[in-house]
Amino acid sequence: MKNIKLSILFFFSLAACSKTEKNKEEIKVKTPVEITNIKQESFILSKTFKGVTHYLASGDIKSPITGYVTKVYVKIGDNIHKGDILFGIETKEAYVLKGKNFINDPELKNLGHTIIRAPESGIVTSVLAEENEYAQEGTTLGTYSAPDMFVFLIEVPAEQDSSIKIGKPCEITLANGKVIKGKISKTLAMADSSSQTESYVVVPLEKMILPARLQIKITFVDYTKPHAQSLPKESVLSDELQSVFWVMKLINDTTAIRVLVKLGLENESKIEITEPIFSSADRIISKGSYGLSDTAYVVIKPSQNGK
């Protein structure tokens, strides 16, 4: 009888141990993960520099006669079109008489009065004349900048100037977020001694007029690598010194192993894997791999099973 009791106790002990081991196994497979696959993608490395809007030159608006400025129709920053009225000016005689000698002869009322119009479209960059001011013939009354004078200036660190070539295309991001196309036109052949930067001129591929000294960003494509092995950045893990990198690869539906990798190029969200070469069918943990051991038991989230 005693032996029977001992046998029963032994049986239940074995059953309890078996249940405990089974529970441990269940705990091991409860690390939920999401998976992804290697993709072949192009990596584009770009460089972005700060710049400003700029006018290489200004056109002068000059008085065609000697006389008094009777009217100023524009102010700095005004957009003007070809033919717009800019200034009114009268000869000294007409200004003194103020039209009194024209009372009996209306046909002479505009004698001695000259209207100065915009020679082309642009933006007024300075107004030098004031109303009732005396001006000699040839005096500059104001200046304007036309679309063909408008450019962007960028400052490039001297150590990076090898990547900037004349004629190289670029993207210009304006202050309002609009992106336009442009290209390097020329260098100003001078450097800033304090910042060790060189100045380059970028011309937009569409005509535009903007105020000078607006802050912009200009981006150049520095290097393109097609057909590279790509993974999301969160798939790649590393040690504290970031000298060793690895991914967790599934060898079946419940087991993931650590695979050491070598990295290449990267962008905001993706990273290139140069070694080893993975198959497109290989399943790599994209989320949930942090802290997993070399061989880990996992469970794929249901939404990922079909992928």
Side-chain angles (χ1 to χ4, degrees):
M1 188 68 178
K2 185 177 180 180
N3 289 336
I4 293 173
K5 289 181 178 179
L6 288 173
S7 297
I8 292 172
L9 288 173
F10 180 71
F11 173 78
F12 280 110
S13 296
L14 286 177
C17 289
S18 176
K19 187 175 181 180
T20 301
E21 292 299 321
K22 185 177 180 181
N23 288 339
K24 287 181 179 179
E25 289 298 316
E26 289 178 350
I27 291 173
K28 288 181 180 178
V29 300
K30 286 185 179 179
T31 302
V33 297
E34 294 180 16
I35 60 171
T36 188
N37 302 99
I38 284 283
K39 292 180 174 59
Q40 299 292 326
E41 295 183 326
S42 293
F43 277 83
I44 299 176
L45 289 184
S46 59
K47 291 182 179 179
T48 299
F49 302 97
K50 292 182 179 180
V52 294
T53 55
H54 181 74
Y55 287 89
L56 289 177
S58 294
D60 292 336
I61 304 163
K62 295 185 177 182
S63 174
I65 63 173
T66 297
Y68 287 89
V69 178
T70 55
K71 189 68 175 177
V72 176
Y73 294 91
V74 291
K75 61 182 181 300
I76 295 175
D78 282 354
N79 287 308
I80 55 176
H81 299 88
K82 185 175 182 178
D84 285 353
I85 298 175
L86 306 181
F87 300 95
I89 190 168
E90 290 182 353
T91 61
K92 181 169 59 175
E93 295 77 12
Y95 183 77
V96 171
L97 293 173
K98 298 187 181 299
K100 292 179 181 179
N101 61 327
F102 305 144
I103 295 176
N104 298 322
D105 193 350
E107 292 183 3
L108 300 177
K109 70 175 184 176
N110 290 324
L111 184 66
H113 182 71
T114 301
I115 294 295
I116 301 174
R117 298 180 182 272
E120 57 184 312
S121 297
I123 186 171
V124 177
T125 53
S126 70
V127 177
L128 305 176
E130 296 181 0
E131 292 184 4
N132 300 313
E133 182 180 58
Y134 185 73
Q136 294 284 350
E137 180 181 351
T139 300
T140 299
L141 306 179
T143 59
Y144 72 99
S145 291
D148 57 353
M149 303 173 184
F150 176 74
V151 297
F152 300 93
L153 285 186
I154 58 171
E155 301 294 327
V156 179
E159 66 271 15
Q160 298 185 42
D161 66 351
S162 60
S163 63
I164 306 300
K165 307 291 184 184
I166 303 301
K168 191 168 187 175
C170 61
E171 287 189 342
I172 304 158
T173 304
L174 304 179
N176 62 2
K178 182 181 178 181
V179 178
I180 60 174
K181 302 292 184 181
K183 67 176 182 180
I184 288 286
S185 171
K186 60 183 177 181
T187 175
L188 294 185
M190 60 182 181
D192 187 302
S193 59
S194 59
S195 62
Q196 289 297 293
T197 58
E198 298 180 48
S199 297
Y200 286 85
V201 175
V202 176
V203 295
L205 297 187
E206 58 184 87
K207 284 193 173 182
M208 59 173 53
I209 298 176
L210 293 172
R213 308 306 298 174
L214 286 179
Q215 298 288 327
I216 51 93
K217 293 181 180 179
I218 297 183
T219 302
F220 299 89
V221 173
D222 192 42
Y223 178 71
T224 301
K225 184 175 184 179
H227 312 301
Q229 286 192 128
S230 169
L231 280 175
K233 279 187 173 181
E234 58 265 29
S235 299
V236 180
L237 305 172
S238 71
D239 61 359
E240 291 182 356
L241 299 177
Q242 294 191 339
S243 58
V244 179
F245 301 90
W246 66 89
V247 298
M248 298 300 293
K249 172 185 169 184
L250 269 68
I251 57 175
N252 55 45
D253 287 341
T254 59
T255 308
I257 61 171
R258 181 179 295 182
V259 178
L260 296 178
V261 296
K262 291 185 178 180
L263 309 182
L265 304 177
E266 62 180 278
N267 56 31
E268 294 80 6
S269 59
K270 302 285 187 177
I271 193 164
E272 179 193 7
I273 307 298
T274 59
E275 293 182 18
I277 302 301
F278 288 100
S279 163
S280 59
D282 287 336
R283 296 179 294 175
I284 309 295
I285 295 178
S286 60
K287 292 183 180 179
S289 58
Y290 182 78
L292 293 182
S293 57
D294 190 1
T295 300
Y297 293 93
V298 298
V299 58
I300 303 172
K301 288 185 178 181
S303 60
Q304 300 289 318
N305 283 330
K307 294 186 179 181

